[in-house]
Amino acid sequence: MRKYIRMWMWGVLLLVILAGCGAQEIENRLDWEIADFNYINQDGQQIGLSDLKGKVWLADFIFTSCETACPPMTIHMSQLQKKFKEEGLDVTIVSFSVDPEVDTPEKLKAFAQEYGADLTNWYFLTGYTQEEIESFAQESFKATVFKPEDSDQVVHVTSFYLVDKEGKIVTYYQGLQDT
């Protein structure tokens, strides 16, 4: 029974992603525009919104020293990436670090490799200030990101955001749920 539920969930997710590839039929479509950005990926290369135009992508917010939500979120995103590849779907993944002063490109690359990320179409981004990522997350994703002064942990949203080819957020999903 659990196998059929998972198959059904994958079917629904794939329909949503395919719909995001070019149709306007998604019910309650968000159409949130993402502000222009240019950040540094795990290989030290600049990646910006202009590099993602024309692509369907999933985005999330993580950090490498996270003790709670980020490990399961990254496992789930890795599973999705494998499923997309199996299904022949061209979906890019973008993980924005919410702890940019700690998360260097090298740390992000090691984190990505630890979770089996295929870095040919998954970018782990940093290269901004804490204030910039907090503002960017709020303005573009309507997402809370906050680093308390007395903690090495960061409070952040645990959603996966589906972004269409025009750079608009179509919808979002709970990133902590099993894919």
Side-chain angles (χ1 to χ4, degrees):
M1 180 70 169
R2 188 173 179 185
K3 178 181 176 183
Y4 295 108
I5 292 171
R6 283 187 181 190
M7 288 173 53
W8 178 83
M9 289 173 57
W10 271 112
V12 170
L13 180 60
L14 291 175
L15 285 174
V16 169
I17 289 172
L18 290 174
C21 290
Q24 298 288 326
E25 287 90 25
I26 292 181
E27 193 173 321
N28 300 317
R29 185 181 169 97
L30 299 174
D31 279 331
W32 296 344
E33 287 202 37
I34 296 177
D36 193 23
F37 65 87
N38 238 333
Y39 301 141
I40 305 295
N41 76 359
Q42 69 280 350
D43 293 319
Q45 301 169 331
Q46 291 270 331
I47 299 293
L49 185 60
S50 62
D51 298 303
L52 298 168
K53 289 284 182 157
K55 298 179 182 184
V56 173
W57 48 291
L58 281 179
D60 69 351
F61 295 88
I62 55 93
F63 64 109
T64 61
S65 60
C66 180
E67 297 172 355
T68 57
C70 301
M73 287 175 61
T74 307
I75 289 168
H76 293 158
M77 193 68 89
S78 181
Q79 291 169 340
L80 283 171
Q81 184 183 45
K82 288 175 185 155
K83 190 69 170 174
F84 295 150
K85 187 178 273 188
E86 289 170 11
E87 298 294 328
L89 296 171
D90 184 18
V91 179
T92 299
I93 300 171
V94 178
S95 293
F96 296 94
S97 169
V98 295
D99 198 6
E101 276 96 35
V102 173
D103 287 343
T104 63
E106 297 79 20
K107 280 189 178 181
L108 288 169
K109 188 167 194 170
F111 181 82
Q113 291 170 335
E114 181 180 339
Y115 289 95
D118 177 352
L119 297 176
T120 59
N121 67 339
W122 189 343
Y123 303 117
F124 288 79
L125 301 182
T126 190
Y128 34 79
T129 66
Q130 188 66 42
E131 295 77 26
E132 286 173 320
I133 191 60
E134 290 175 9
S135 177
F136 175 73
Q138 182 61 49
E139 289 173 17
S140 294
F141 294 84
K142 316 293 186 256
T144 299
V145 172
F146 173 71
K147 186 170 185 178
E149 289 184 28
D150 59 344
S151 176
D152 65 347
Q153 296 297 289
V154 181
V155 176
H156 65 93
V157 67
T158 59
S159 297
F160 292 167
Y161 296 87
L162 177 62
V163 182
D164 70 12
K165 292 179 178 184
E166 286 75 47
K168 292 184 179 181
I169 298 169
V170 175
T171 192
Y172 59 90
Y173 309 93
Q174 179 48 254
L176 289 175
Q177 292 178 347
D178 187 3
T179 56

